[in-house]
Amino acid sequence: DQQVKQNSPSLSVQEGRISILNCDYTNSMFDYFLWYKKYPAEGPTFLISISSIKDKNEDGRFTVFLNKSAKHLSLHIVPSQPGDSAVYFCAASARTGANNLFFGTGTRLTVIP
Amino acid sequence: DGGITQSPKYLFRKEGQNVTLSCEQNLNHDAMYWYRQDPGQGLRLIYYSQIVNDFQKGDIAEGYSVSREKKESFPLTVTSAQKNPTAFYLCASRQGRQETQYFGPGTRLLVL
């Protein structure tokens, strides 16, 4: 059963506008969340993360929002740039136990120049 | 320059053959992981190792084997028991109790 879900397989956004990527999770034990960016035939690269004690974390053009009651997080990219075109994976972990990451299925973002 | 290397970039397997994918890291990370990615799917955990000489099965370990004889190395063997091995294989590592995993460039395995 998929514990981390990204229900939008793809998203297209105009350059300069905001990109919003969404992620839902089912396991209430998850307390740390990460976003990775992946280009074809390459390994994912870490983008930004958030702990469950926060509801927002910002790093330059990237902001992650966490809504624990809804078990939902989102990644905002503003302004979007063509180089942001990639597949974005959200991941979650429970810091007790093995501390493994559970990944969503990814959202392919295309930023149109 | 620290990082994770995976070799080869492409690997071809014949029917009934075992193949081994290499993963090396010079980040001095304690934990290492193997994932499999199929088209349209997320990353699924095959095996992980939190310390040398110890490893655990992930969600899809059947048909795979690993070893962790050195901290910097975590090779994955795809055995003939794995009936659908064609996929993109990713190795990752993590330091201590940090949550962030760092990934290698991946190996694409194809069946002849």
Short mmCIF file of all heavy atoms in Angstrom, two decimals, chain A residues 45-85:
data_model
loop_
_atom_site.label_atom_id
_atom_site.label_comp_id
_atom_site.label_asym_id
_atom_site.label_seq_id
_atom_site.Cartn_x
_atom_site.Cartn_y
_atom_site.Cartn_z
N THR A 45 18.43 14.32 -6.68
CA THR A 45 19.21 15.24 -5.86
C THR A 45 18.29 15.86 -4.81
O THR A 45 17.15 16.23 -5.11
CB THR A 45 19.87 16.35 -6.69
OG1 THR A 45 18.86 17.01 -7.46
CG2 THR A 45 20.90 15.80 -7.63
N PHE A 46 18.80 15.96 -3.61
CA PHE A 46 18.03 16.52 -2.50
C PHE A 46 17.76 18.00 -2.76
O PHE A 46 18.64 18.75 -3.16
CB PHE A 46 18.81 16.34 -1.20
CG PHE A 46 18.23 17.09 -0.04
CD1 PHE A 46 17.02 16.71 0.50
CD2 PHE A 46 18.89 18.19 0.48
CE1 PHE A 46 16.49 17.41 1.57
CE2 PHE A 46 18.38 18.89 1.54
CZ PHE A 46 17.17 18.50 2.09
N LEU A 47 16.51 18.41 -2.48
CA LEU A 47 16.11 19.79 -2.74
C LEU A 47 15.85 20.55 -1.44
O LEU A 47 16.48 21.55 -1.14
CB LEU A 47 14.86 19.76 -3.60
CG LEU A 47 14.47 20.99 -4.41
CD1 LEU A 47 15.59 21.43 -5.31
CD2 LEU A 47 13.22 20.68 -5.23
N ILE A 48 14.93 20.05 -0.65
CA ILE A 48 14.52 20.76 0.55
C ILE A 48 13.79 19.78 1.46
O ILE A 48 13.24 18.78 0.99
CB ILE A 48 13.61 21.97 0.20
CG1 ILE A 48 13.40 22.89 1.41
CG2 ILE A 48 12.29 21.52 -0.40
CD1 ILE A 48 12.72 24.23 1.05
N SER A 49 13.80 20.05 2.75
CA SER A 49 13.13 19.16 3.69
C SER A 49 12.40 19.97 4.76
O SER A 49 12.59 21.19 4.89
CB SER A 49 14.14 18.22 4.35
OG SER A 49 15.11 18.97 5.09
N ILE A 50 11.56 19.27 5.54
CA ILE A 50 10.84 19.91 6.62
C ILE A 50 10.58 18.90 7.72
O ILE A 50 10.23 17.75 7.44
CB ILE A 50 9.53 20.56 6.11
CG1 ILE A 50 8.88 21.40 7.23
CG2 ILE A 50 8.56 19.52 5.57
CD1 ILE A 50 7.77 22.31 6.72
N SER A 51 10.75 19.34 8.93
CA SER A 51 10.42 18.53 10.09
C SER A 51 8.97 18.77 10.48
O SER A 51 8.42 19.84 10.21
CB SER A 51 11.34 18.90 11.25
OG SER A 51 10.84 18.42 12.46
N SER A 52 8.38 17.79 11.15
CA SER A 52 6.96 17.92 11.52
C SER A 52 6.72 18.98 12.59
O SER A 52 5.57 19.33 12.87
CB SER A 52 6.42 16.57 11.99
OG SER A 52 7.15 16.12 13.11
N ILE A 53 7.78 19.50 13.19
CA ILE A 53 7.58 20.57 14.19
C ILE A 53 7.40 21.92 13.51
O ILE A 53 7.08 22.91 14.17
CB ILE A 53 8.75 20.63 15.19
CG1 ILE A 53 10.08 20.96 14.49
CG2 ILE A 53 8.86 19.32 15.96
CD1 ILE A 53 11.22 21.23 15.46
N LYS A 54 7.60 21.96 12.20
CA LYS A 54 7.43 23.20 11.45
C LYS A 54 6.27 23.05 10.47
O LYS A 54 5.85 21.94 10.15
CB LYS A 54 8.69 23.53 10.64
CG LYS A 54 9.91 23.85 11.48
CD LYS A 54 11.06 24.24 10.56
CE LYS A 54 12.26 24.68 11.37
NZ LYS A 54 13.37 25.12 10.48
N ASP A 55 5.75 24.17 9.98
CA ASP A 55 4.75 24.08 8.92
C ASP A 55 5.22 24.73 7.62
O ASP A 55 4.53 24.70 6.62
CB ASP A 55 3.42 24.69 9.37
CG ASP A 55 3.57 26.11 9.87
OD1 ASP A 55 4.61 26.74 9.59
OD2 ASP A 55 2.66 26.59 10.56
N LYS A 56 6.43 25.28 7.66
CA LYS A 56 6.97 25.92 6.46
C LYS A 56 8.49 25.93 6.53
O LYS A 56 9.06 26.17 7.59
CB LYS A 56 6.43 27.36 6.37
CG LYS A 56 6.97 28.19 5.22
CD LYS A 56 6.41 29.60 5.29
CE LYS A 56 7.03 30.52 4.26
NZ LYS A 56 6.50 31.90 4.35
N ASN A 57 9.10 25.70 5.38
CA ASN A 57 10.55 25.84 5.28
C ASN A 57 10.87 26.41 3.91
O ASN A 57 10.33 25.96 2.91
CB ASN A 57 11.26 24.50 5.48
CG ASN A 57 12.77 24.65 5.60
OD1 ASN A 57 13.25 25.71 6.00
ND2 ASN A 57 13.50 23.62 5.24
N GLU A 58 11.74 27.41 3.90
CA GLU A 58 12.02 28.15 2.68
C GLU A 58 13.50 28.11 2.36
O GLU A 58 14.34 28.22 3.26
CB GLU A 58 11.57 29.60 2.89
CG GLU A 58 11.45 30.44 1.66
CD GLU A 58 10.77 31.78 1.95
OE1 GLU A 58 10.27 31.97 3.09
OE2 GLU A 58 10.78 32.64 1.08
N ASP A 59 13.81 27.95 1.08
CA ASP A 59 15.20 27.98 0.64
C ASP A 59 15.22 28.58 -0.76
O ASP A 59 14.98 27.90 -1.74
CB ASP A 59 15.79 26.58 0.63
CG ASP A 59 17.27 26.58 0.25
OD1 ASP A 59 17.85 27.66 0.04
OD2 ASP A 59 17.86 25.48 0.17
N GLY A 60 15.48 29.88 -0.82
CA GLY A 60 15.51 30.56 -2.11
C GLY A 60 14.16 30.54 -2.79
O GLY A 60 13.16 30.95 -2.23
N ARG A 61 14.11 29.99 -4.00
CA ARG A 61 12.85 29.95 -4.75
C ARG A 61 11.94 28.81 -4.31
O ARG A 61 10.81 28.69 -4.78
CB ARG A 61 13.16 29.77 -6.25
CG ARG A 61 13.91 30.94 -6.87
CD ARG A 61 14.05 30.75 -8.39
NE ARG A 61 14.83 29.58 -8.75
CZ ARG A 61 14.34 28.52 -9.38
NH1 ARG A 61 13.06 28.49 -9.72
NH2 ARG A 61 15.12 27.51 -9.68
N PHE A 62 12.42 27.95 -3.42
CA PHE A 62 11.69 26.75 -3.01
C PHE A 62 11.15 26.89 -1.60
O PHE A 62 11.89 27.25 -0.68
CB PHE A 62 12.60 25.52 -3.10
CG PHE A 62 13.20 25.31 -4.47
CD1 PHE A 62 14.43 25.86 -4.80
CD2 PHE A 62 12.51 24.58 -5.42
CE1 PHE A 62 14.97 25.67 -6.07
CE2 PHE A 62 13.03 24.39 -6.68
CZ PHE A 62 14.27 24.94 -7.01
N THR A 63 9.86 26.59 -1.45
CA THR A 63 9.23 26.60 -0.13
C THR A 63 8.42 25.32 0.01
O THR A 63 7.68 24.95 -0.91
CB THR A 63 8.31 27.81 0.04
OG1 THR A 63 9.07 29.01 -0.17
CG2 THR A 63 7.72 27.84 1.45
N VAL A 64 8.57 24.66 1.13
CA VAL A 64 7.75 23.49 1.42
C VAL A 64 6.80 23.83 2.56
O VAL A 64 7.20 24.44 3.55
CB VAL A 64 8.62 22.25 1.73
CG1 VAL A 64 9.56 22.50 2.88
CG2 VAL A 64 7.74 21.05 2.01
N PHE A 65 5.53 23.46 2.37
CA PHE A 65 4.50 23.67 3.37
C PHE A 65 4.01 22.31 3.86
O PHE A 65 3.82 21.39 3.06
CB PHE A 65 3.31 24.44 2.78
CG PHE A 65 3.64 25.84 2.36
CD1 PHE A 65 4.06 26.11 1.06
CD2 PHE A 65 3.53 26.89 3.26
CE1 PHE A 65 4.37 27.41 0.66
CE2 PHE A 65 3.84 28.18 2.87
CZ PHE A 65 4.26 28.45 1.57
N LEU A 66 3.80 22.21 5.16
CA LEU A 66 3.32 20.96 5.75
C LEU A 66 2.03 21.22 6.52
O LEU A 66 1.98 22.09 7.39
CB LEU A 66 4.38 20.37 6.68
CG LEU A 66 3.98 19.12 7.46
CD1 LEU A 66 3.68 17.96 6.51
CD2 LEU A 66 5.07 18.73 8.45
N ASN A 67 1.00 20.43 6.21
CA ASN A 67 -0.27 20.48 6.93
C ASN A 67 -0.48 19.11 7.57
O ASN A 67 -0.93 18.17 6.93
CB ASN A 67 -1.41 20.81 5.97
CG ASN A 67 -2.75 20.93 6.68
OD1 ASN A 67 -2.99 20.33 7.73
ND2 ASN A 67 -3.65 21.68 6.10
N LYS A 68 -0.08 19.01 8.83
CA LYS A 68 -0.09 17.70 9.49
C LYS A 68 -1.50 17.16 9.67
O LYS A 68 -1.73 15.95 9.57
CB LYS A 68 0.61 17.80 10.85
CG LYS A 68 2.12 17.85 10.75
CD LYS A 68 2.74 18.03 12.10
CE LYS A 68 2.46 19.42 12.63
NZ LYS A 68 3.17 19.73 13.89
N SER A 69 -2.45 18.02 9.96
CA SER A 69 -3.81 17.53 10.19
C SER A 69 -4.40 16.93 8.92
O SER A 69 -5.16 15.97 8.96
CB SER A 69 -4.70 18.67 10.71
OG SER A 69 -4.77 19.71 9.76
N ALA A 70 -4.01 17.48 7.77
CA ALA A 70 -4.48 16.94 6.49
C ALA A 70 -3.54 15.90 5.92
O ALA A 70 -3.83 15.32 4.86
CB ALA A 70 -4.65 18.08 5.49
N LYS A 71 -2.40 15.68 6.59
CA LYS A 71 -1.36 14.77 6.07
C LYS A 71 -1.01 15.15 4.63
O LYS A 71 -1.04 14.31 3.71
CB LYS A 71 -1.79 13.31 6.17
CG LYS A 71 -1.97 12.81 7.61
CD LYS A 71 -2.14 11.29 7.62
CE LYS A 71 -2.25 10.76 9.02
NZ LYS A 71 -3.49 11.17 9.70
N HIS A 72 -0.68 16.39 4.45
CA HIS A 72 -0.44 16.93 3.12
C HIS A 72 0.76 17.87 3.15
O HIS A 72 0.93 18.65 4.08
CB HIS A 72 -1.68 17.70 2.64
CG HIS A 72 -1.51 18.37 1.32
ND1 HIS A 72 -1.69 17.70 0.13
CD2 HIS A 72 -1.16 19.64 1.00
CE1 HIS A 72 -1.47 18.53 -0.87
NE2 HIS A 72 -1.15 19.72 -0.38
N LEU A 73 1.61 17.76 2.13
CA LEU A 73 2.66 18.74 1.97
C LEU A 73 2.73 19.19 0.52
O LEU A 73 2.24 18.49 -0.38
CB LEU A 73 4.03 18.23 2.44
CG LEU A 73 4.71 17.08 1.74
CD1 LEU A 73 6.21 17.19 1.95
CD2 LEU A 73 4.23 15.77 2.32
N SER A 74 3.28 20.37 0.35
CA SER A 74 3.39 20.90 -1.00
C SER A 74 4.72 21.62 -1.16
O SER A 74 5.29 22.11 -0.20
CB SER A 74 2.23 21.86 -1.31
OG SER A 74 2.23 22.95 -0.41
N LEU A 75 5.19 21.62 -2.39
CA LEU A 75 6.42 22.32 -2.76
C LEU A 75 6.05 23.45 -3.71
O LEU A 75 5.39 23.20 -4.73
CB LEU A 75 7.39 21.36 -3.44
CG LEU A 75 8.67 21.97 -4.01
CD1 LEU A 75 9.57 22.48 -2.89
CD2 LEU A 75 9.41 20.97 -4.88
N HIS A 76 6.43 24.66 -3.35
CA HIS A 76 6.18 25.82 -4.19
C HIS A 76 7.51 26.28 -4.79
O HIS A 76 8.50 26.43 -4.06
CB HIS A 76 5.57 26.96 -3.38
CG HIS A 76 4.18 26.67 -2.89
ND1 HIS A 76 3.24 27.67 -2.70
CD2 HIS A 76 3.57 25.51 -2.59
CE1 HIS A 76 2.12 27.12 -2.27
NE2 HIS A 76 2.29 25.82 -2.19
N ILE A 77 7.50 26.49 -6.08
CA ILE A 77 8.68 27.00 -6.77
C ILE A 77 8.27 28.32 -7.43
O ILE A 77 7.37 28.35 -8.27
CB ILE A 77 9.17 26.03 -7.85
CG1 ILE A 77 9.40 24.63 -7.27
CG2 ILE A 77 10.47 26.55 -8.48
CD1 ILE A 77 9.72 23.57 -8.32
N VAL A 78 8.93 29.40 -6.98
CA VAL A 78 8.55 30.69 -7.58
C VAL A 78 9.77 31.61 -7.63
O VAL A 78 10.47 31.73 -6.61
CB VAL A 78 7.38 31.33 -6.79
CG1 VAL A 78 7.71 31.48 -5.33
CG2 VAL A 78 6.99 32.67 -7.37
N PRO A 79 10.07 32.22 -8.75
CA PRO A 79 9.44 31.97 -10.05
C PRO A 79 9.99 30.69 -10.69
O PRO A 79 11.15 30.33 -10.49
CB PRO A 79 9.87 33.19 -10.87
CG PRO A 79 11.21 33.56 -10.30
CD PRO A 79 11.14 33.24 -8.82
N SER A 80 9.17 30.02 -11.45
CA SER A 80 9.60 28.80 -12.13
C SER A 80 10.52 29.15 -13.30
O SER A 80 10.31 30.15 -14.01
CB SER A 80 8.39 28.02 -12.65
OG SER A 80 7.53 27.69 -11.58
N GLN A 81 11.52 28.30 -13.48
CA GLN A 81 12.48 28.49 -14.56
C GLN A 81 12.54 27.23 -15.42
O GLN A 81 12.28 26.12 -14.92
CB GLN A 81 13.87 28.78 -13.98
CG GLN A 81 13.93 30.02 -13.12
CD GLN A 81 15.26 30.20 -12.42
OE1 GLN A 81 16.13 29.33 -12.48
NE2 GLN A 81 15.44 31.34 -11.76
N PRO A 82 12.91 27.34 -16.69
CA PRO A 82 12.98 26.15 -17.54
C PRO A 82 13.88 25.05 -16.98
O PRO A 82 13.61 23.87 -17.15
CB PRO A 82 13.54 26.71 -18.86
CG PRO A 82 13.05 28.12 -18.89
CD PRO A 82 13.11 28.58 -17.45
N GLY A 83 14.95 25.44 -16.28
CA GLY A 83 15.83 24.45 -15.67
C GLY A 83 15.21 23.68 -14.54
O GLY A 83 15.76 22.67 -14.08
N ASP A 84 14.03 24.11 -14.09
CA ASP A 84 13.31 23.37 -13.05
C ASP A 84 12.57 22.16 -13.62
O ASP A 84 12.04 21.34 -12.87
CB ASP A 84 12.29 24.28 -12.35
CG ASP A 84 12.94 25.43 -11.60
OD1 ASP A 84 14.09 25.26 -11.13
OD2 ASP A 84 12.31 26.50 -11.51
N SER A 85 12.51 22.06 -14.93
CA SER A 85 11.81 20.94 -15.56
C SER A 85 12.51 19.63 -15.19
O SER A 85 13.68 19.41 -15.53
CB SER A 85 11.78 21.11 -17.08
OG SER A 85 11.05 22.28 -17.44
#
